[in-house]
Amino acid sequence: MRLILIRHGQTAANVAYTMHTALPGPELTHLGQQQAAALLTALADEKIDALYACAYQCTALTAVPLAADRGRRVLVREGIREVSAGRREGASDHASHTAFLELAFDWPVDPTTRVPDGESGLEVLERFDGVVDEAVRSGVETVAIASHGVAIQVWLAPAQSTSPSRT
């Protein structure tokens, strides 16, 4: 199976450097809408058999133009949501962002550590793996997943998992 990972378009939270990881999530900015529309050109030569997104507005709004163009429906799956910011939800200061990212990007070394009032690396990997495993089991050739920057980066970190979906 071929997997295409798509990070959602720009949101106001991205621009304001605000940690916004709770539902319903932020909407796309005008630039984010343009980025979603640009997927049609960027992926014009890609056959996409299934398209997944989480329930956050920004991922759904990123996936909808591509789904409409391809005559597909967006399969909403909770497992590909962003890593929870926990008690840092809503923070926009540099120290909070740095602490959050350092913890998340240290998960290849110790995936048992937990975001304060949030989730562990193992929990993030298990839920994301579950969606990818579902896609693999579906038997389709190419799947696009619209998700979030940190979640995608954590899942892609090579030392984190021996999941069959990544081999």
Side-chain angles (χ1 to χ4, degrees):
M1 181 192 77
R2 180 170 162 75
L3 181 63
I4 300 170
L5 297 171
I6 301 166
R7 192 257 188 194
H8 65 77
Q10 183 191 67
T11 69
N14 299 142
V15 173
Y17 206 60
T18 302
M19 297 173 74
H20 193 340
T21 64
L23 284 171
E27 293 185 17
L28 298 178
T29 62
H30 180 69
L31 175 59
Q33 293 168 5
Q34 292 174 328
Q35 291 167 335
L39 285 173
L40 304 182
T41 302
L43 298 176
D45 295 333
E46 295 288 343
K47 178 182 174 238
I48 297 175
D49 301 304
L51 179 58
Y52 290 76
C54 72
Y56 289 65
Q57 294 182 81
C58 55
T59 58
L61 293 170
T62 298
V64 163
L66 185 59
D69 182 66
R70 301 303 174 89
R72 303 267 178 241
R73 64 184 178 97
V74 177
L75 303 172
V76 177
R77 299 294 184 268
E78 190 269 341
I80 51 177
R81 72 180 188 280
E82 182 59 288
V83 175
S84 169
R87 71 173 67 143
R88 293 186 178 98
E89 181 68 21
S92 60
D93 61 285
H94 183 73
S96 291
H97 276 269
T98 299
F100 175 73
L101 292 174
E102 283 178 354
L103 187 142
F105 295 136
D106 193 43
W107 280 336
V109 176
D110 184 4
T112 64
T113 58
R114 179 174 296 280
V115 172
D117 296 332
E119 55 196 334
S120 73
L122 288 174
E123 291 166 338
V124 173
L125 293 171
E126 284 178 8
R127 64 178 170 76
F128 209 104
D129 281 345
V131 176
V132 174
D133 290 343
E134 173 190 336
V136 169
R137 288 190 313 274
S138 75
V140 300
E141 289 180 32
T142 304
V143 172
I145 292 180
S147 186
H148 303 266
V150 177
I152 290 170
Q153 290 179 41
V154 165
W155 188 78
L156 286 174
Q160 290 183 351
S161 174
T162 58
S163 168
S165 63
R166 295 194 212 170
T167 56

